[in-house]
Each structure stands twice: as structure tokens, then as C-alpha cells.
Amino acid sequence: MAISLTESAARHVSRYIERRGKGLGLRLGVKTTGCSGLAYTLEYADEIKPEDESFESYGVTVLIDPKSLVYIDGTELDFVREGLNEGFKFNNPNVKSECGCGESFKV
């Protein structure tokens, strides 16, 4: 089981943690929502919870709760710029379908 960041995503996260002045890394997860059932959650982690699974990519710690890990195992998180837009892109090999707006997915 593993989660990884691209070098671009790791640089972006590291810059924002530095600007915040605190943080241990990034917390990824999923929640039930949207028309396809699941949506990603993404936030900065200031503490490690006892149940957290921990992964490291390019010096950035990624924390995930065990319930979310089954849905996003093998995911690579990228940070992309497309025209004037920029943001995180989840490359999740477990996704079977996504809703039309791209906000939720089904495994």
C-alpha cells in the first residue's frame, strides 16, 4: 500500500507549509458525497493520529486514515497548471467512474 506525490506536488506542499509556519505534512482522505459517492479531502496535517498511515515523497509526509486508504491506495497526487488554472490532480488507479463535474468518484 502506498500513496505518492510528484515532485511538483511536493514542492507546492512544502512551500505552503513553510508559509504557514507550521505543519507536519499533508493529510489525504475521502468522504461520502457528490453524485458518484466519494470525494477527496485534502488538508495540512499538524499532528499525527495513532491510526494514521504515513508515507513520504520528496521529503513531504502524507498521512491517511486506514478507512480512506482502501479507496486511494496507489494514488499519485500531482500539482498541475493548465492555462490559467492550477491545482492538485489525483491519479487514482482504483477509480471506475467520475461524475461529470469531476468532484466525486466511484471505485
Side-chain angles (χ1 to χ4, degrees), residues 1 14 25 40 54 77 89 91 104:
M1 296 189 134
S14 293
Y40 299 105
S54 179
L77 182 62
K89 180 179 179 184
N91 299 313
S104 61

Side-chain angles (χ1 to χ4, degrees), residues 2-5 28 40 71-77 90-94:
I3 304 295
S4 63
L5 301 178
L28 295 180
Y40 299 105
Y71 299 108
I72 58 177
D73 182 34
T75 296
E76 177 189 63
L77 182 62
F90 293 83
N91 299 313
N92 184 344
N94 305 302

Side-chain angles (χ1 to χ4, degrees), residues 26-41:
L26 192 64
R27 182 177 303 283
L28 295 180
V30 295
K31 65 180 179 177
T32 304
T33 189
C35 47
S36 289
L38 297 169
Y40 299 105
T41 61

